[in-house]
Amino acid sequence: MPCARALLTTLFCVAPAAAEIRLLFTGDILLSRGVRAQIERAAGFPWEGLEELFRQADWVGGNLEGAVGSAQDCPASLGKLCFAIEPRLVALLKKAGFHALGLENNHSFDLGARGRETTRKVLSEAGITPVRYEDSPSFFRFGEVTVAVVSLCQVPSREGTPIPIPSAALRQKLRLARRLANLVVVSAHWGNEYQDWPSRRQRQGAEWLIRNGADLILGHH
């Protein structure tokens, strides 16, 4: 049986297709603060040495931590924890080979609702699919195989509302994804920072997601 392969995770047999499908997922991607300073100082490329790995995948996704816009628009209340991404840096994401990026995290509203919409627009114009909860499930087609991605955030942010688990609205999204796709992926921004293991609440949430149709859960924060 042909399979869909999630690089660095596991191998999923999902449909009678002619070839393997390689899906590569990263975690949080930060292009502000120290990372931006390093790029500017050394004219560096954050994914140097990983280009071949990315090229081997049919699809590369991750979580973009922040919002596209000027740091001058950061509210004073956030201080240094405002992750503004200069628009010119989006080209680096395209160069790296990202096909889609999740916008569900506690920094996607750092520049307000307008900044979040700007991020969606700039990514789309660069040929990168923005994956948001309100648009989920997002579908990606590979021949006879369809992959659905549902993106959510459980961490409070400046304007974003955490998505509860369980949730009737989330269940509907998962059921739609299960009905139309061969592989259902949930990208969840959740948990406690600086802790090595998932909390009891996360484990319970993961069990609920699986019962309601998720094949693979990607956690980040």
Side-chain angles (χ1 to χ4, degrees), residues 155 190-202 221:
V155 183
W190 60 359
N192 304 310
E193 289 182 310
Y194 309 119
Q195 293 194 8
D196 295 331
W197 303 102
S199 65
R200 181 177 180 182
R201 178 185 175 191
Q202 280 176 275
H221 176 37

Side-chain angles (χ1 to χ4, degrees), residues 54-74:
F54 278 34
R55 281 194 295 268
Q56 291 174 357
D58 298 291
W59 184 93
V60 182
N63 169 61
L64 184 60
E65 190 94 12
V68 175
S70 172
Q72 296 179 350
D73 295 328
C74 285

Side-chain angles (χ1 to χ4, degrees), residues 31-100:
L31 290 177
S32 57
R33 303 176 72 188
V35 177
R36 183 185 64 192
Q38 177 63 21
I39 292 172
E40 294 174 345
R41 181 166 53 247
F45 179 59
W47 297 276
E48 185 174 355
L50 297 175
E51 296 92 335
E52 182 61 27
L53 176 65
F54 278 34
R55 281 194 295 268
Q56 291 174 357
D58 298 291
W59 184 93
V60 182
N63 169 61
L64 184 60
E65 190 94 12
V68 175
S70 172
Q72 296 179 350
D73 295 328
C74 285
S77 59
L78 291 181
K80 294 182 179 179
L81 292 179
C82 178
F83 297 170
I85 302 169
E86 293 187 13
R88 64 180 178 83
L89 297 182
V90 173
L92 297 180
L93 296 166
K94 183 65 176 178
K95 178 182 177 183
F98 284 98
H99 297 93

Side-chain angles (χ1 to χ4, degrees), residues 21-184:
I21 298 169
R22 291 171 176 259
L23 309 176
L24 189 149
F25 303 92
T26 77
D28 295 337
I29 299 168
L30 182 68
L31 290 177
S32 57
R33 303 176 72 188
V35 177
R36 183 185 64 192
Q38 177 63 21
I39 292 172
E40 294 174 345
R41 181 166 53 247
F45 179 59
W47 297 276
E48 185 174 355
L50 297 175
E51 296 92 335
E52 182 61 27
L53 176 65
F54 278 34
R55 281 194 295 268
Q56 291 174 357
D58 298 291
W59 184 93
V60 182
N63 169 61
L64 184 60
E65 190 94 12
V68 175
S70 172
Q72 296 179 350
D73 295 328
C74 285
S77 59
L78 291 181
K80 294 182 179 179
L81 292 179
C82 178
F83 297 170
I85 302 169
E86 293 187 13
R88 64 180 178 83
L89 297 182
V90 173
L92 297 180
L93 296 166
K94 183 65 176 178
K95 178 182 177 183
F98 284 98
H99 297 93
L101 289 170
L103 301 187
E104 292 304 328
N105 56 75
N106 55 309
H107 288 284
S108 64
F109 280 97
D110 279 3
L111 299 181
R114 183 176 180 180
R116 180 176 162 90
E117 175 59 23
T118 296
T119 306
R120 182 203 65 77
K121 181 179 179 182
V122 171
L123 288 177
S124 296
E125 291 174 346
I128 301 172
T129 301
V131 182
R132 304 182 300 175
Y133 177 75
E134 56 263 41
D135 302 323
S136 293
S138 296
F139 295 99
F140 302 89
R141 184 88 173 162
F142 307 91
E144 297 180 15
V145 177
T146 299
V147 177
V149 180
V150 176
S151 185
L152 64 93
C153 179
Q154 287 204 302
V155 183
S157 66
R158 179 188 174 197
E159 295 184 26
T161 301
I163 303 301
I165 301 177
S167 159
L170 180 55
R171 181 185 288 113
Q172 289 180 341
K173 291 179 180 293
L174 289 169
R175 287 181 175 176
L176 177 62
R178 181 78 282 160
R179 187 161 62 247
L180 300 179
N182 305 105
L183 180 70
V184 178

Side-chain angles (χ1 to χ4, degrees), residues 2-14 19-25 57-59 183 216:
C3 306
R5 184 185 297 275
L7 297 185
L8 310 184
T9 52
T10 188
L11 179 67
F12 291 88
C13 297
V14 297
E20 254 183 23
I21 298 169
R22 291 171 176 259
L23 309 176
L24 189 149
F25 303 92
D58 298 291
W59 184 93
L183 180 70
L216 174 65

